[in-house]
Amino acid sequence: MSTSDVDEEIEFVNKDLKIQVKCPICHSQMLEDVYQTGCCGKLACHTCDSRLKKDGSNCFNCREQYKSHPDKNARGLIQDLKMHCPNAKKGCKWIGEVRDRKNHIKKGERDGDKVCKFEVIECCYGCKRKDTRKNMDKHEPDCPEKPYKCQYCKETIKQKDEESHMKSEVPKHLECAFDKFTQEIQSQKKEIVNMKLEMQASESTRLVTELQNQELNKDVFQVNRTRTFPSNHSSPERSKSHESSKDSWRNSLGNIVGWILMD
Ligand SMILES: [Zn+2]
Ligand SMILES: [Zn+2]
Ligand SMILES: [Zn+2]
Ligand SMILES: [Zn+2]
Ligand SMILES: [Zn+2]
């Protein structure tokens, strides 16, 4: 049994206890390990049992040589008992079994699920303030010792030093702001170049498709004309127009390639 367990005086919901809870030697409540004497069957707390064994003492009840064993049955019965929260006077309404009290109180810990909001703890930022968890929830976000990252230079400083930091680090903050500005300009420049490349790619695809369609239309037109006016010799007009459309194709393609390469 730890010292803190000895100190806390539990208030049970049912005042009429059917089991012995107090140690007959030190009168503290036996909430964890319970020992039974081998000589006369009396119960003792863990602290007293250890001391009697270590000292080689006689039994506190029958004066025989002290011998004992853990009494799991008695321990189980005590742990089943319903109790009020030790912080009931501060306002906690929790009622639970003795075995669950540590999970509810979580001594010394900052938080956890369903913990007692009326347990006194120390501020987690080391300002030495002690208060209930309930009040600490309000204090800690504004604690002068709470560290935070300066939005300009990204240095970690304490909240209490914010004003002096802002005053003394003006040149550094200006430098950081300038660096940030330069970075933004560079990333925007990159975006513009990417957009231009995308536009060039889609425009060249569009032009190629258009030219291919034009070529196809001309071929269809020529085929139709040959079919409508059949002749034994090949039409000079047709071959001429075919040549000129091939030339315009080449010229357009040359223009596109030149346009893409130009940057
Ligand atoms: Zn004791
Ligand atoms: Zn005895
Ligand atoms: Zn509580
Ligand atoms: Zn604090
Ligand atoms: Zn700063």
Side-chain angles (χ1 to χ4, degrees):
M1 195 179 277
S2 70
T3 323
S4 61
D5 284 337
V6 176
D7 290 340
E8 69 188 47
E9 184 75 10
I10 298 270
E11 197 193 320
F12 296 99
V13 175
N14 188 351
K15 306 282 183 257
D16 185 22
L17 296 174
K18 300 278 187 282
I19 172 108
Q20 179 194 341
V21 170
K22 284 198 172 179
C23 170
I25 307 162
C26 68
H27 304 290
S28 69
Q29 292 174 324
M30 303 180 287
L31 303 174
E32 293 297 325
D33 290 341
V34 180
Y35 291 83
Q36 194 185 98
T37 62
C39 40
C40 55
K42 292 284 177 189
L43 301 181
C45 78
H46 177 68
T47 312
C48 293
D49 176 76
S50 302
R51 187 172 40 78
L52 289 171
K53 273 182 188 156
K54 194 177 151 229
D55 295 349
S57 305
N58 290 334
C59 173
F60 57 92
N61 181 52
C62 69
R63 310 312 297 168
E64 293 270 315
Q65 179 64 40
Y66 185 75
K67 274 181 200 149
S68 72
H69 59 270
D71 191 335
K72 284 183 182 162
N73 183 47
R75 184 184 194 270
L77 289 172
I78 292 171
Q79 296 237 312
D80 284 345
L81 294 172
K82 285 263 195 303
M83 61 175 275
H84 292 281
C85 176
N87 298 315
K89 284 196 181 94
K90 288 181 214 151
C92 185
K93 300 268 186 282
W94 181 85
I95 284 176
E97 289 180 1
V98 168
R99 73 179 85 256
D100 295 328
R101 74 193 190 289
K102 284 183 180 173
N103 278 338
H104 170 66
I105 295 161
K106 291 266 182 198
K107 227 176 181 66
E109 283 180 40
R110 177 60 189 92
D111 245 332
D113 266 353
K114 294 171 189 168
V115 290
C116 182
K117 284 286 171 195
F118 296 88
E119 176 70 8
V120 172
I121 53 158
E122 217 172 282
C123 169
C124 72
Y125 298 118
C127 74
K128 303 279 183 223
R129 186 190 171 116
K130 283 181 182 175
D131 211 333
T132 59
R133 284 196 182 99
K134 204 175 166 217
N135 291 338
M136 210 51 94
D137 287 345
K138 286 179 217 148
H139 161 77
E140 280 179 347
D142 298 326
C143 176
E145 296 291 326
K146 188 186 173 186
Y148 81 102
K149 222 175 210 179
C150 169
Q151 58 168 316
Y152 303 107
C153 68
K154 309 291 176 213
E155 198 182 293
T156 305
I157 49 173
K158 287 177 177 174
Q159 294 198 128
K160 65 175 180 184
D161 298 328
E162 185 181 8
E163 213 181 310
S164 65
H165 176 81
M166 286 303 165
K167 275 182 191 162
S168 65
E169 301 294 343
V170 170
K172 192 176 170 187
H173 288 164
L174 281 174
E175 206 177 293
C176 293
F178 182 75
D179 283 351
K180 201 181 163 197
F181 177 72
T182 315
Q183 275 172 13
E184 265 169 28
I185 291 284
Q186 272 170 351
S187 83
Q188 276 183 14
K189 222 171 148 186
K190 226 183 236 175
E191 249 172 60
I192 289 168
V193 168
N194 285 341
M195 269 166 64
K196 203 176 161 189
L197 284 172
E198 267 172 38
M199 275 167 65
Q200 283 173 352
S202 72
E203 182 60 13
S204 60
T205 312
R206 191 187 66 76
L207 282 172
V208 168
T209 316
E210 203 173 90
L211 286 166
Q212 277 173 340
N213 286 342
Q214 276 178 18
E215 185 71 1
L216 199 69
N217 286 342
K218 268 176 195 158
D219 279 350
V220 170
F221 178 70
Q222 289 301 339
V223 168
N224 283 345
R225 252 169 48 139
T226 331
R227 277 187 188 157
T228 323
F229 309 104
S231 65
N232 291 335
H233 58 275
S234 72
S235 161
E237 269 176 57
R238 187 185 174 271
S239 63
K240 196 187 159 205
S241 99
H242 196 73
E243 275 306 307
S244 69
S245 80
K246 251 186 185 170
D247 285 346
S248 75
W249 229 106
R250 266 190 216 108
N251 287 341
S252 306
L253 216 55
N255 285 341
I256 293 162
V257 171
W259 191 59
I260 291 170
L261 292 176
M262 183 185 69
D263 184 32

